[in-house]
Amino acid sequence: MRSRTRTGVLARTVAVVALFVLAGCSSGPATIEQDPDTGRSGTSASAPAGSDGAQALRTKFRFFTQDACYSADPAEAFGRCARFTTEIRNVLGQVRQDVPAATAQADATEQALDGFASAGCEAEPGTVGGGDPATCAPAYRQVQEAVQGLATAVGAPR
């Protein structure tokens, strides 16, 4: 009986040590990167330490511009891009705060999103939207064009 207890304690100890090792590695190693805007070097891990909001926005928009909803045919995309429109809407406040020069384009993007929603085209994320393609496709194209302008305004790489 005593060896079973010892084996159980040993197994739990190994499991706890493994969890600590994995927890310590979860954020990844720090790296030294050079900021393309300032030329300064800095330390970076999962969330770059000291990175400014504008750089974070450029990174977000780099991913947005790779999304199929960014450039897909509006007639095919408008009903299945609710997640994309929600993500864009959610980032507008950050654009206004961190890249004030892009405020006018953020306003234009918000107007395009509002027009798309008021036309009855916007769906909840995770659902397929309905709406008349004759109305929704042009409204979604306006959203795409506004987002493209916003990506340029925040300085997102192409």
Side-chain angles (χ1 to χ4, degrees):
M1 179 83 173
R2 193 167 202 204
S3 69
R4 281 171 116 182
T5 304
R6 184 179 251 173
T7 304
V9 170
L10 180 62
R12 283 192 295 268
T13 303
V14 170
V16 169
V17 169
L19 286 174
F20 281 122
V21 170
L22 291 174
C25 297
S26 67
S27 65
T31 58
I32 303 298
E33 296 179 354
Q34 186 171 4
D35 185 319
D37 295 328
T38 65
R40 292 181 289 165
S41 294
T43 303
S44 172
S46 296
S51 69
D52 66 344
Q55 184 61 36
L57 280 168
R58 286 189 282 278
T59 299
K60 286 180 186 181
F61 275 92
R62 188 180 78 229
F63 289 109
F64 291 155
T65 61
Q66 294 173 4
D67 192 301
C69 293
Y70 178 79
S71 59
D73 177 11
E76 295 175 11
F78 79 86
R80 58 181 169 76
C81 289
R83 175 201 43 81
F84 179 78
T85 57
T86 299
E87 288 177 1
I88 297 300
R89 190 178 293 278
N90 288 343
V91 79
L92 295 176
Q94 184 182 358
V95 169
R96 291 180 181 111
Q97 176 182 329
D98 294 332
V99 187
T103 296
Q105 189 60 44
D107 293 344
T109 303
E110 187 169 42
Q111 288 175 345
L113 287 164
D114 289 346
F116 181 68
S118 68
C121 305
E122 189 171 53
E124 291 296 317
T127 64
V128 177
D132 178 15
T135 302
C136 295
Y140 190 71
R141 182 66 193 145
Q142 288 181 345
V143 169
Q144 288 174 316
E145 290 171 354
V147 172
Q148 290 166 359
L150 191 56
T152 300
V154 300
R158 291 182 177 235

PDB file of all heavy atoms in Angstrom, residues 5-35:
ATOM      1  N   THR A   5       0.923   4.820  -2.583  1.00  0.00           N
ATOM      2  CA  THR A   5       0.826   6.199  -2.098  1.00  0.00           C
ATOM      3  C   THR A   5       2.010   7.002  -2.602  1.00  0.00           C
ATOM      4  O   THR A   5       1.861   8.122  -3.078  1.00  0.00           O
ATOM      5  CB  THR A   5       0.777   6.227  -0.561  1.00  0.00           C
ATOM      6  OG1 THR A   5      -0.305   5.428  -0.127  1.00  0.00           O
ATOM      7  CG2 THR A   5       0.611   7.644  -0.055  1.00  0.00           C
ATOM      8  N   ARG A   6       3.185   6.411  -2.517  1.00  0.00           N
ATOM      9  CA  ARG A   6       4.390   7.079  -2.985  1.00  0.00           C
ATOM     10  C   ARG A   6       4.305   7.339  -4.487  1.00  0.00           C
ATOM     11  O   ARG A   6       4.671   8.412  -4.957  1.00  0.00           O
ATOM     12  CB  ARG A   6       5.597   6.215  -2.647  1.00  0.00           C
ATOM     13  CG  ARG A   6       6.885   6.853  -2.998  1.00  0.00           C
ATOM     14  CD  ARG A   6       8.021   5.969  -2.618  1.00  0.00           C
ATOM     15  NE  ARG A   6       8.696   6.571  -1.488  1.00  0.00           N
ATOM     16  CZ  ARG A   6       9.653   6.014  -0.824  1.00  0.00           C
ATOM     17  NH1 ARG A   6      10.027   4.782  -1.112  1.00  0.00           N
ATOM     18  NH2 ARG A   6      10.251   6.643   0.151  1.00  0.00           N
ATOM     19  N   THR A   7       3.814   6.370  -5.248  1.00  0.00           N
ATOM     20  CA  THR A   7       3.658   6.529  -6.691  1.00  0.00           C
ATOM     21  C   THR A   7       2.647   7.623  -7.005  1.00  0.00           C
ATOM     22  O   THR A   7       2.863   8.447  -7.893  1.00  0.00           O
ATOM     23  CB  THR A   7       3.209   5.203  -7.347  1.00  0.00           C
ATOM     24  OG1 THR A   7       4.155   4.191  -7.014  1.00  0.00           O
ATOM     25  CG2 THR A   7       3.100   5.339  -8.839  1.00  0.00           C
ATOM     26  N   GLY A   8       1.545   7.681  -6.247  1.00  0.00           N
ATOM     27  CA  GLY A   8       0.528   8.719  -6.456  1.00  0.00           C
ATOM     28  C   GLY A   8       1.072  10.104  -6.169  1.00  0.00           C
ATOM     29  O   GLY A   8       0.819  11.062  -6.905  1.00  0.00           O
ATOM     30  N   VAL A   9       1.846  10.238  -5.089  1.00  0.00           N
ATOM     31  CA  VAL A   9       2.448  11.526  -4.740  1.00  0.00           C
ATOM     32  C   VAL A   9       3.446  11.936  -5.813  1.00  0.00           C
ATOM     33  O   VAL A   9       3.491  13.089  -6.240  1.00  0.00           O
ATOM     34  CB  VAL A   9       3.117  11.458  -3.341  1.00  0.00           C
ATOM     35  CG1 VAL A   9       3.959  12.692  -3.071  1.00  0.00           C
ATOM     36  CG2 VAL A   9       2.064  11.281  -2.261  1.00  0.00           C
ATOM     37  N   LEU A  10       4.256  10.994  -6.266  1.00  0.00           N
ATOM     38  CA  LEU A  10       5.237  11.275  -7.306  1.00  0.00           C
ATOM     39  C   LEU A  10       4.544  11.718  -8.594  1.00  0.00           C
ATOM     40  O   LEU A  10       4.957  12.691  -9.235  1.00  0.00           O
ATOM     41  CB  LEU A  10       6.111  10.043  -7.557  1.00  0.00           C
ATOM     42  CG  LEU A  10       7.196  10.209  -8.627  1.00  0.00           C
ATOM     43  CD1 LEU A  10       8.174  11.296  -8.214  1.00  0.00           C
ATOM     44  CD2 LEU A  10       7.930   8.896  -8.838  1.00  0.00           C
ATOM     45  N   ALA A  11       3.470  11.044  -8.960  1.00  0.00           N
ATOM     46  CA  ALA A  11       2.739  11.399 -10.185  1.00  0.00           C
ATOM     47  C   ALA A  11       2.143  12.796 -10.075  1.00  0.00           C
ATOM     48  O   ALA A  11       2.200  13.594 -11.025  1.00  0.00           O
ATOM     49  CB  ALA A  11       1.646  10.372 -10.458  1.00  0.00           C
ATOM     50  N   ARG A  12       1.584  13.141  -8.922  1.00  0.00           N
ATOM     51  CA  ARG A  12       1.015  14.491  -8.728  1.00  0.00           C
ATOM     52  C   ARG A  12       2.111  15.545  -8.755  1.00  0.00           C
ATOM     53  O   ARG A  12       1.933  16.631  -9.315  1.00  0.00           O
ATOM     54  CB  ARG A  12       0.226  14.538  -7.432  1.00  0.00           C
ATOM     55  CG  ARG A  12      -1.137  13.866  -7.537  1.00  0.00           C
ATOM     56  CD  ARG A  12      -2.006  14.180  -6.325  1.00  0.00           C
ATOM     57  NE  ARG A  12      -1.460  13.612  -5.088  1.00  0.00           N
ATOM     58  CZ  ARG A  12      -1.768  12.424  -4.598  1.00  0.00           C
ATOM     59  NH1 ARG A  12      -2.637  11.668  -5.226  1.00  0.00           N
ATOM     60  NH2 ARG A  12      -1.217  11.988  -3.479  1.00  0.00           N
ATOM     61  N   THR A  13       3.248  15.240  -8.158  1.00  0.00           N
ATOM     62  CA  THR A  13       4.368  16.179  -8.141  1.00  0.00           C
ATOM     63  C   THR A  13       4.851  16.456  -9.563  1.00  0.00           C
ATOM     64  O   THR A  13       5.087  17.598  -9.941  1.00  0.00           O
ATOM     65  CB  THR A  13       5.523  15.639  -7.266  1.00  0.00           C
ATOM     66  OG1 THR A  13       5.023  15.393  -5.954  1.00  0.00           O
ATOM     67  CG2 THR A  13       6.678  16.612  -7.208  1.00  0.00           C
ATOM     68  N   VAL A  14       5.013  15.411 -10.347  1.00  0.00           N
ATOM     69  CA  VAL A  14       5.440  15.569 -11.742  1.00  0.00           C
ATOM     70  C   VAL A  14       4.410  16.388 -12.518  1.00  0.00           C
ATOM     71  O   VAL A  14       4.767  17.277 -13.304  1.00  0.00           O
ATOM     72  CB  VAL A  14       5.674  14.189 -12.403  1.00  0.00           C
ATOM     73  CG1 VAL A  14       5.865  14.322 -13.901  1.00  0.00           C
ATOM     74  CG2 VAL A  14       6.868  13.500 -11.761  1.00  0.00           C
ATOM     75  N   ALA A  15       3.144  16.149 -12.287  1.00  0.00           N
ATOM     76  CA  ALA A  15       2.095  16.903 -12.975  1.00  0.00           C
ATOM     77  C   ALA A  15       2.145  18.384 -12.614  1.00  0.00           C
ATOM     78  O   ALA A  15       2.021  19.258 -13.473  1.00  0.00           O
ATOM     79  CB  ALA A  15       0.724  16.319 -12.657  1.00  0.00           C
ATOM     80  N   VAL A  16       2.336  18.698 -11.329  1.00  0.00           N
ATOM     81  CA  VAL A  16       2.406  20.097 -10.887  1.00  0.00           C
ATOM     82  C   VAL A  16       3.625  20.783 -11.491  1.00  0.00           C
ATOM     83  O   VAL A  16       3.545  21.911 -11.985  1.00  0.00           O
ATOM     84  CB  VAL A  16       2.403  20.183  -9.343  1.00  0.00           C
ATOM     85  CG1 VAL A  16       2.751  21.580  -8.867  1.00  0.00           C
ATOM     86  CG2 VAL A  16       1.052  19.752  -8.796  1.00  0.00           C
ATOM     87  N   VAL A  17       4.772  20.103 -11.470  1.00  0.00           N
ATOM     88  CA  VAL A  17       5.986  20.679 -12.056  1.00  0.00           C
ATOM     89  C   VAL A  17       5.780  20.927 -13.552  1.00  0.00           C
ATOM     90  O   VAL A  17       6.151  21.983 -14.078  1.00  0.00           O
ATOM     91  CB  VAL A  17       7.202  19.761 -11.797  1.00  0.00           C
ATOM     92  CG1 VAL A  17       8.408  20.208 -12.613  1.00  0.00           C
ATOM     93  CG2 VAL A  17       7.537  19.742 -10.319  1.00  0.00           C
ATOM     94  N   ALA A  18       5.155  19.997 -14.242  1.00  0.00           N
ATOM     95  CA  ALA A  18       4.890  20.167 -15.672  1.00  0.00           C
ATOM     96  C   ALA A  18       3.983  21.365 -15.930  1.00  0.00           C
ATOM     97  O   ALA A  18       4.207  22.141 -16.863  1.00  0.00           O
ATOM     98  CB  ALA A  18       4.264  18.902 -16.254  1.00  0.00           C
ATOM     99  N   LEU A  19       2.988  21.563 -15.086  1.00  0.00           N
ATOM    100  CA  LEU A  19       2.105  22.721 -15.234  1.00  0.00           C
ATOM    101  C   LEU A  19       2.870  24.025 -15.042  1.00  0.00           C
ATOM    102  O   LEU A  19       2.660  24.995 -15.770  1.00  0.00           O
ATOM    103  CB  LEU A  19       0.941  22.640 -14.255  1.00  0.00           C
ATOM    104  CG  LEU A  19      -0.134  21.614 -14.592  1.00  0.00           C
ATOM    105  CD1 LEU A  19      -1.151  21.527 -13.465  1.00  0.00           C
ATOM    106  CD2 LEU A  19      -0.816  21.986 -15.891  1.00  0.00           C
ATOM    107  N   PHE A  20       3.762  24.069 -14.055  1.00  0.00           N
ATOM    108  CA  PHE A  20       4.560  25.279 -13.840  1.00  0.00           C
ATOM    109  C   PHE A  20       5.460  25.560 -15.030  1.00  0.00           C
ATOM    110  O   PHE A  20       5.603  26.706 -15.462  1.00  0.00           O
ATOM    111  CB  PHE A  20       5.399  25.165 -12.562  1.00  0.00           C
ATOM    112  CG  PHE A  20       4.628  25.427 -11.308  1.00  0.00           C
ATOM    113  CD1 PHE A  20       4.557  24.478 -10.312  1.00  0.00           C
ATOM    114  CD2 PHE A  20       3.968  26.630 -11.117  1.00  0.00           C
ATOM    115  CE1 PHE A  20       3.844  24.712  -9.154  1.00  0.00           C
ATOM    116  CE2 PHE A  20       3.244  26.878  -9.957  1.00  0.00           C
ATOM    117  CZ  PHE A  20       3.182  25.921  -8.973  1.00  0.00           C
ATOM    118  N   VAL A  21       6.081  24.535 -15.571  1.00  0.00           N
ATOM    119  CA  VAL A  21       6.944  24.713 -16.733  1.00  0.00           C
ATOM    120  C   VAL A  21       6.130  25.231 -17.910  1.00  0.00           C
ATOM    121  O   VAL A  21       6.518  26.176 -18.590  1.00  0.00           O
ATOM    122  CB  VAL A  21       7.662  23.399 -17.095  1.00  0.00           C
ATOM    123  CG1 VAL A  21       8.365  23.503 -18.435  1.00  0.00           C
ATOM    124  CG2 VAL A  21       8.662  23.038 -16.002  1.00  0.00           C
ATOM    125  N   LEU A  22       4.977  24.622 -18.166  1.00  0.00           N
ATOM    126  CA  LEU A  22       4.135  25.061 -19.277  1.00  0.00           C
ATOM    127  C   LEU A  22       3.607  26.469 -19.064  1.00  0.00           C
ATOM    128  O   LEU A  22       3.538  27.269 -19.990  1.00  0.00           O
ATOM    129  CB  LEU A  22       2.976  24.086 -19.490  1.00  0.00           C
ATOM    130  CG  LEU A  22       3.372  22.716 -20.027  1.00  0.00           C
ATOM    131  CD1 LEU A  22       2.159  21.790 -20.046  1.00  0.00           C
ATOM    132  CD2 LEU A  22       3.985  22.830 -21.398  1.00  0.00           C
ATOM    133  N   ALA A  23       3.242  26.803 -17.857  1.00  0.00           N
ATOM    134  CA  ALA A  23       2.739  28.140 -17.564  1.00  0.00           C
ATOM    135  C   ALA A  23       3.822  29.177 -17.791  1.00  0.00           C
ATOM    136  O   ALA A  23       3.568  30.265 -18.297  1.00  0.00           O
ATOM    137  CB  ALA A  23       2.211  28.216 -16.138  1.00  0.00           C
ATOM    138  N   GLY A  24       5.044  28.853 -17.440  1.00  0.00           N
ATOM    139  CA  GLY A  24       6.152  29.780 -17.643  1.00  0.00           C
ATOM    140  C   GLY A  24       6.479  29.988 -19.101  1.00  0.00           C
ATOM    141  O   GLY A  24       7.005  31.023 -19.480  1.00  0.00           O
ATOM    142  N   CYS A  25       6.166  29.041 -19.940  1.00  0.00           N
ATOM    143  CA  CYS A  25       6.471  29.135 -21.368  1.00  0.00           C
ATOM    144  C   CYS A  25       5.309  29.648 -22.190  1.00  0.00           C
ATOM    145  O   CYS A  25       5.453  29.883 -23.377  1.00  0.00           O
ATOM    146  CB  CYS A  25       6.871  27.758 -21.898  1.00  0.00           C
ATOM    147  SG  CYS A  25       8.364  27.119 -21.137  1.00  0.00           S
ATOM    148  N   SER A  26       4.154  29.831 -21.613  1.00  0.00           N
ATOM    149  CA  SER A  26       2.962  30.114 -22.404  1.00  0.00           C
ATOM    150  C   SER A  26       3.001  31.438 -23.115  1.00  0.00           C
ATOM    151  O   SER A  26       2.404  31.589 -24.162  1.00  0.00           O
ATOM    152  CB  SER A  26       1.716  30.035 -21.521  1.00  0.00           C
ATOM    153  OG  SER A  26       1.727  31.073 -20.565  1.00  0.00           O
ATOM    154  N   SER A  27       3.685  32.434 -22.574  1.00  0.00           N
ATOM    155  CA  SER A  27       3.685  33.730 -23.246  1.00  0.00           C
ATOM    156  C   SER A  27       4.753  33.804 -24.309  1.00  0.00           C
ATOM    157  O   SER A  27       4.822  34.770 -25.052  1.00  0.00           O
ATOM    158  CB  SER A  27       3.871  34.864 -22.233  1.00  0.00           C
ATOM    159  OG  SER A  27       5.152  34.767 -21.643  1.00  0.00           O
ATOM    160  N   GLY A  28       5.596  32.842 -24.409  1.00  0.00           N
ATOM    161  CA  GLY A  28       6.629  32.837 -25.426  1.00  0.00           C
ATOM    162  C   GLY A  28       7.819  33.670 -24.984  1.00  0.00           C
ATOM    163  O   GLY A  28       7.745  34.467 -24.066  1.00  0.00           O
ATOM    164  N   PRO A  29       8.926  33.493 -25.661  1.00  0.00           N
ATOM    165  CA  PRO A  29      10.125  34.218 -25.271  1.00  0.00           C
ATOM    166  C   PRO A  29      10.046  35.673 -25.705  1.00  0.00           C
ATOM    167  O   PRO A  29       9.391  36.014 -26.686  1.00  0.00           O
ATOM    168  CB  PRO A  29      11.229  33.473 -26.033  1.00  0.00           C
ATOM    169  CG  PRO A  29      10.537  32.911 -27.225  1.00  0.00           C
ATOM    170  CD  PRO A  29       9.148  32.575 -26.756  1.00  0.00           C
ATOM    171  N   ALA A  30      10.731  36.497 -24.953  1.00  0.00           N
ATOM    172  CA  ALA A  30      10.819  37.897 -25.332  1.00  0.00           C
ATOM    173  C   ALA A  30      11.796  38.009 -26.497  1.00  0.00           C
ATOM    174  O   ALA A  30      12.762  37.273 -26.595  1.00  0.00           O
ATOM    175  CB  ALA A  30      11.302  38.735 -24.151  1.00  0.00           C
ATOM    176  N   THR A  31      11.519  38.917 -27.393  1.00  0.00           N
ATOM    177  CA  THR A  31      12.394  39.144 -28.529  1.00  0.00           C
ATOM    178  C   THR A  31      12.671  40.631 -28.633  1.00  0.00           C
ATOM    179  O   THR A  31      11.918  41.454 -28.134  1.00  0.00           O
ATOM    180  CB  THR A  31      11.744  38.658 -29.842  1.00  0.00           C
ATOM    181  OG1 THR A  31      10.507  39.343 -30.012  1.00  0.00           O
ATOM    182  CG2 THR A  31      11.509  37.171 -29.828  1.00  0.00           C
ATOM    183  N   ILE A  32      13.732  40.978 -29.306  1.00  0.00           N
ATOM    184  CA  ILE A  32      14.063  42.373 -29.534  1.00  0.00           C
ATOM    185  C   ILE A  32      13.620  42.710 -30.952  1.00  0.00           C
ATOM    186  O   ILE A  32      14.003  42.044 -31.906  1.00  0.00           O
ATOM    187  CB  ILE A  32      15.579  42.630 -29.366  1.00  0.00           C
ATOM    188  CG1 ILE A  32      16.055  42.199 -27.992  1.00  0.00           C
ATOM    189  CG2 ILE A  32      15.917  44.086 -29.651  1.00  0.00           C
ATOM    190  CD1 ILE A  32      15.425  42.952 -26.842  1.00  0.00           C
ATOM    191  N   GLU A  33      12.800  43.728 -31.058  1.00  0.00           N
ATOM    192  CA  GLU A  33      12.293  44.141 -32.362  1.00  0.00           C
ATOM    193  C   GLU A  33      12.536  45.617 -32.533  1.00  0.00           C
ATOM    194  O   GLU A  33      12.592  46.373 -31.572  1.00  0.00           O
ATOM    195  CB  GLU A  33      10.793  43.870 -32.457  1.00  0.00           C
ATOM    196  CG  GLU A  33      10.437  42.411 -32.390  1.00  0.00           C
ATOM    197  CD  GLU A  33       8.938  42.175 -32.472  1.00  0.00           C
ATOM    198  OE1 GLU A  33       8.179  43.144 -32.462  1.00  0.00           O
ATOM    199  OE2 GLU A  33       8.552  41.010 -32.541  1.00  0.00           O
ATOM    200  N   GLN A  34      12.635  46.046 -33.780  1.00  0.00           N
ATOM    201  CA  GLN A  34      12.795  47.454 -34.070  1.00  0.00           C
ATOM    202  C   GLN A  34      11.478  47.982 -34.602  1.00  0.00           C
ATOM    203  O   GLN A  34      10.903  47.426 -35.528  1.00  0.00           O
ATOM    204  CB  GLN A  34      13.903  47.677 -35.086  1.00  0.00           C
ATOM    205  CG  GLN A  34      14.195  49.147 -35.313  1.00  0.00           C
ATOM    206  CD  GLN A  34      15.434  49.357 -36.142  1.00  0.00           C
ATOM    207  OE1 GLN A  34      16.041  48.410 -36.615  1.00  0.00           O
ATOM    208  NE2 GLN A  34      15.817  50.596 -36.331  1.00  0.00           N
ATOM    209  N   ASP A  35      10.986  49.067 -34.002  1.00  0.00           N
ATOM    210  CA  ASP A  35       9.751  49.709 -34.428  1.00  0.00           C
ATOM    211  C   ASP A  35      10.012  50.406 -35.751  1.00  0.00           C
ATOM    212  O   ASP A  35      10.888  51.271 -35.844  1.00  0.00           O
ATOM    213  CB  ASP A  35       9.289  50.707 -33.372  1.00  0.00           C
ATOM    214  CG  ASP A  35       7.944  51.320 -33.687  1.00  0.00           C
ATOM    215  OD1 ASP A  35       7.691  51.645 -34.859  1.00  0.00           O
ATOM    216  OD2 ASP A  35       7.149  51.488 -32.748  1.00  0.00           O
TER     217      ASP A  35
END
